[in-house]
Amino acid sequence: MNCLELLSPAKNLECGISAIDHGADAVYIGAEKFGARAAAGNSIEDIGTLCRYAHQFDAKVFVTVNTLLHDDEFQEACDLVKQLDEIGADAVLIQDLRLYDMLMAKGLKNIRLHASTQTDNRSAEKVKALRDMGFKRVVLARELSINEISQIHEEVPDVELEVFVHGALCVSYSGACYASEYCFGRSANRGECAQFCRMQFDLKDADGNVIMKRAHLLSLKDMSQLNNMERLAEAGAVSFKIEGRLKDADYVKNVTAAYSEQLNALCRKYPDKYRRASMGRCTYTFTPDVRKSFNRDFTTYFANGRQQGLVNFDTPKATGEQVGTVKEIRYRRDGNVESFNVSSTASFSNGDGLCFYNEARELIGFRVNRAEGNRLFPLHVTKEMKPGTRLYRNHDQAFDTLLSKPSAMRKVDVRMAFHVGKDKLTLTITDEHNNTYQAELPHDYQPAQKPQEENIRRQLLKLGNTIYQCNQLEITADAENPFIPSSLLAELRRKAFSNPSVIGCEAALAEQERRGETYSSDSPYSSYSSYREEGLLMQCRYCLRHELGYCSKYSARMPWKEPLSISLSDSEKKEEFQLRFNCARCQMEVLKK
């Protein structure tokens, strides 16, 4: 039986709890320092609280300590990892392999370590090397196809493979981008990325001719593998990761719920093959829909091999879902729009955020002040809107109102067995993962004058304020119709369900045994090397030439003279960057010119 883990992001404690409530099997969160999102740090106390909450459901908490470290930071990082282990964090993600060496040298070999995607994991050879060091899980590069993931799993079946399935995409291989550091002094490998790839560029050929102007040449759409979950599981992935440690709780709720439902459907389809890694099933007050949360339109990226349509040259902003086209427009005296009708089956609300592209392909956004059916009164829209304009909604007020309230309930199914002995009462609880716990109370047998089963069931099934729901209660007794006071039944129930080991007790023991496994540092990768080619700022599987339809494999002649170069459209210093097309590796590289 393969366990499938949905891994959700947590900017903070609130987001982490929301992720668990909406179906995550695990969450990843940043500590106070050394995380790849410097703006998303959390205290040890908050992470400990999240661990206690998650472990009720046998869910896990992974903490990111995945930046490159300065020499004077290693002792502090080691102390941090030790604290995280002490408060119950289930694993720590690291990038700097020198930190791994130091943890091992200090004897901290019981800490479960995951190799972050920033360690640039795109081959079976790299995964093998990390396994030989002692890593139990490797987060694969986002750029890999499903076939490549399958090949890695076949060659290294004893390593857990974690794959990204949703969210923003970096145009460069993670850990191999130095553009932000070079241009703005903010290192992506130190958690301070300035998002160089989301900016506007001018594209020129070798003669200085402008091919494209003010275009978002490197701004990838967002990933969505919602329809590829079964194939990814078949390929050997065990953890399905949602990107977004800077996203708010509403985003986490919606996207987590959508992927959780998809994994549940997969487990129902193959009940003898897959089960969820944690316990508890969720009910929602809303219908999950990833299109209603922030997105730059979606792509499956390289899941099915190389394809076009990976970027939106017009904008890096969220366009949202298409909701219709403009029909008739009423104008104010100044020529701006007073109201308009929409040809659409969608429902609109006051406060909706809509947008459209003008004739210059610039994204124009506005707020709906008032909605009267399909006639909308905007706060302010210029005369650029025309009949026939396509409308997109990037803020659904009614949907967001649902998410702003308690929007999910997660309950763990348990079976209860109640036995009345001659001198004691026993209540045995069995959870979804077949972990069991028994609670006992002394009791002197006395016969009852009236049937007792109905009252026993009523008292034992009062679980309303807990995370549990009973789907089976078996009652047995050594003597016929014993009398049991309701207060005693309530005390037995409270004793059983208040014990911290009632859920996940066996799983916790298994984790302790697993943490006792030893690690080896006999690996060519055990010492970190910062070497990279001088001047190389990005390594990208995405290829602009292919995106424009001029891949050298399919087009004999290019309509320009190479090398090509790009420059930031709005930058005061017009520095240019050369594009190098490394066709032998099917890779585009961005270099200092």
Side-chain angles (χ1 to χ4, degrees):
M1 181 75 72
N2 295 323
C3 292
L4 304 181
E5 174 188 279
L6 178 59
L7 177 56
S8 293
K11 177 172 67 174
N12 51 34
L13 176 60
E14 176 196 1
C15 289
I17 290 175
S18 293
I20 297 298
D21 285 346
H22 288 74
D25 300 293
V27 296
Y28 63 105
I29 189 170
E32 290 176 324
K33 298 182 69 174
F34 311 127
R37 298 289 184 272
N42 294 274
S43 68
I44 289 292
E45 290 74 19
D46 278 357
I47 296 173
T49 299
L50 180 58
C51 289
R52 290 188 293 274
Y53 189 82
H55 292 168
Q56 297 177 100
F57 301 96
D58 216 4
K60 292 182 168 55
V61 176
F62 307 143
V63 186
T64 58
V65 187
N66 57 340
T67 62
L68 297 183
L69 302 171
H70 296 313
D71 290 343
D72 60 356
E73 293 175 329
F74 280 96
Q75 183 59 55
E76 185 180 1
C78 284
D79 293 342
L80 174 61
V81 172
K82 184 178 180 182
Q83 282 184 289
L84 293 170
D85 187 53
E86 290 171 349
I87 63 168
D90 297 284
V92 175
L93 288 86
I94 68 170
Q95 174 188 186
D96 198 323
L97 300 184
R98 295 176 298 171
L99 175 59
Y100 172 89
D101 287 341
M102 182 166 284
L103 290 170
M104 297 304 105
K106 288 181 172 293
L108 301 174
K109 298 183 178 182
N110 293 335
I111 298 169
R112 185 171 170 82
L113 298 175
H114 294 175
S116 171
T117 189
Q118 279 82 11
T119 54
D120 193 10
N121 310 312
R122 39 178 145 156
S123 69
E125 289 71 27
K126 182 64 175 289
V127 174
K128 286 178 183 176
L130 292 167
R131 176 202 61 190
D132 292 343
M133 288 182 67
F135 286 96
K136 304 306 175 189
R137 177 181 293 191
V138 173
V139 187
L140 295 178
R142 295 167 171 88
E143 290 82 358
L144 296 181
S145 70
I146 294 175
N147 286 339
E148 288 169 324
I149 293 170
S150 179
Q151 291 168 7
I152 291 174
H153 175 64
E154 288 177 6
E155 292 188 43
V156 202
D158 52 342
V159 172
E160 295 176 4
L161 299 181
E162 183 178 305
V163 299
F164 281 90
V165 294
H166 193 91
L169 289 165
C170 300
V171 73
S172 176
Y173 283 102
S174 289
C177 181
Y178 310 95
S180 177
E181 180 181 10
Y182 173 75
C183 294
F184 308 107
R186 293 170 54 182
S187 172
N189 287 314
R190 295 279 296 171
E192 299 172 340
C193 178
Q195 296 197 312
F196 174 85
C197 57
R198 301 296 179 192
M199 298 178 178
Q200 281 185 324
F201 296 92
D202 299 332
L203 175 65
K204 298 179 182 178
D205 67 10
D207 293 329
N209 298 314
V210 177
I211 301 170
M212 297 181 72
K213 191 171 181 63
R214 296 184 64 81
H216 297 274
L217 301 175
L218 304 178
S219 183
L220 296 174
K221 297 177 182 178
D222 286 2
M223 176 189 282
S224 176
Q225 305 292 2
L226 197 60
N227 296 324
N228 283 327
M229 300 295 280
E230 182 174 339
R231 292 177 59 210
L232 287 166
E234 290 174 350
V238 297
S239 181
F240 306 91
K241 188 171 192 172
I242 298 168
E243 190 278 338
R245 277 202 299 117
L246 295 179
K247 295 292 194 293
D248 59 21
D250 288 356
Y251 178 95
V252 172
K253 290 177 179 182
N254 182 35
V255 178
T256 297
Y259 278 86
S260 183
E261 288 195 333
Q262 199 77 350
L263 282 183
N264 286 342
L266 182 58
C267 292
R268 288 193 298 269
K269 184 177 180 180
Y270 302 103
D272 297 327
K273 188 176 182 180
Y274 300 122
R275 73 168 174 85
R276 296 294 295 274
S278 65
M279 296 181 293
R281 295 297 172 260
C282 303
T283 55
Y284 308 108
T285 64
F286 65 101
T287 301
D289 186 345
V290 296
R291 298 172 302 168
K292 292 184 177 294
S293 290
F294 181 98
N295 70 84
R296 301 176 177 89
D297 199 4
F298 291 121
T299 174
T300 57
Y301 208 24
F302 290 95
N304 301 307
R306 187 175 290 281
Q307 59 183 326
Q308 290 179 294
L310 301 184
V311 301
N312 183 344
F313 290 135
D314 297 319
T315 181
K317 297 179 181 179
T319 54
E321 55 180 334
Q322 186 175 332
V323 289
T325 56
V326 175
K327 290 179 66 179
E328 172 261 343
I329 303 177
R330 297 175 187 173
Y331 296 95
R332 297 199 299 256
R333 289 182 180 180
D334 62 3
N336 290 324
V337 175
E338 178 188 75
S339 67
F340 59 92
N341 255 349
V342 184
S343 175
S344 175
T345 58
S347 298
F348 298 95
S349 301
N350 300 347
D352 277 355
L354 302 181
C355 56
F356 65 92
Y357 288 102
N358 64 13
E359 292 180 354
R361 294 301 297 169
E362 297 169 325
L363 192 66
I364 308 297
F366 63 93
R367 180 181 181 273
V368 176
N369 251 3
R370 188 168 82 254
E372 296 179 358
N374 277 22
R375 175 158 291 278
L376 307 181
F377 295 80
L379 178 62
H380 176 75
V381 180
T382 68
K383 62 189 73 174
E384 292 178 289
M385 178 183 282
K386 309 289 184 185
T389 297
R390 290 183 180 178
L391 283 177
Y392 302 85
R393 177 162 54 192
N394 52 18
H395 176 75
D396 187 327
Q397 182 62 45
F399 190 75
D400 286 0
T401 298
L402 284 175
L403 289 179
S404 67
K405 302 173 182 177
S407 52
M409 182 176 293
R410 183 168 180 168
K411 292 285 187 177
V412 176
D413 286 333
V414 294
R415 304 188 304 275
M416 299 166 62
F418 176 64
H419 180 72
V420 184
K422 291 188 176 180
D423 57 357
K424 66 180 178 181
L425 305 176
T426 304
L427 182 60
T428 303
I429 301 169
T430 305
D431 66 28
E432 294 173 7
H433 288 175
N434 290 321
N435 302 312
T436 61
Y437 175 76
Q438 281 191 344
E440 296 180 347
L441 286 177
H443 172 256
D444 293 328
Y445 169 75
Q446 294 181 8
Q449 296 180 354
K450 298 179 179 179
Q452 293 291 294
E453 182 172 341
E454 182 179 346
N455 185 58
I456 291 172
R457 290 186 177 277
R458 182 168 57 251
Q459 297 301 325
L460 293 181
L461 294 177
K462 288 182 178 179
L463 305 177
N465 293 326
T466 72
I467 64 169
Y468 313 111
Q469 58 187 14
C470 179
N471 58 9
Q472 179 182 326
L473 172 58
E474 179 184 1
I475 301 173
T476 57
D478 289 343
E480 188 175 348
N481 197 30
F483 172 73
I484 308 167
S486 295
S487 59
L488 202 59
L489 291 168
E491 182 182 353
L492 182 66
R493 184 195 69 238
R494 285 192 294 268
K495 182 179 180 182
F497 283 98
S498 64
N499 192 296
S501 61
V502 63
I503 290 298
C505 54
E506 297 299 328
L509 290 173
E511 180 64 20
Q512 290 175 8
E513 292 175 3
R514 183 167 55 183
R515 287 185 173 191
E517 295 173 341
T518 59
Y519 292 83
S520 168
S521 60
D522 297 331
S523 166
Y525 288 90
S526 62
S527 296
Y528 168 75
S529 171
S530 61
Y531 169 79
R532 70 176 187 271
E533 180 185 342
E534 183 64 30
L536 181 60
L537 299 180
M538 283 184 173
Q539 300 175 46
C540 315
R541 196 168 199 177
Y542 159 75
C543 175
L544 180 58
R545 198 160 69 179
H546 183 276
E547 185 74 11
L548 294 174
Y550 294 105
C551 176
S552 60
K553 293 181 180 179
Y554 312 111
S555 179
R557 293 189 59 183
M558 304 296 165
W560 51 65
K561 183 178 178 181
E562 294 190 354
L564 301 181
S565 63
I566 59 174
S567 59
L568 288 169
S569 301
D570 298 323
S571 176
E572 292 184 2
K573 60 173 187 176
K574 296 295 183 181
E575 183 170 3
E576 294 188 348
F577 306 91
Q578 182 181 323
L579 300 182
R580 182 171 67 190
F581 300 99
N582 188 339
C583 297
R585 300 182 65 182
C586 210
Q587 179 172 290
M588 182 181 78
E589 297 160 350
V590 181
L591 302 95
K592 292 183 285 185
K593 192 170 180 181

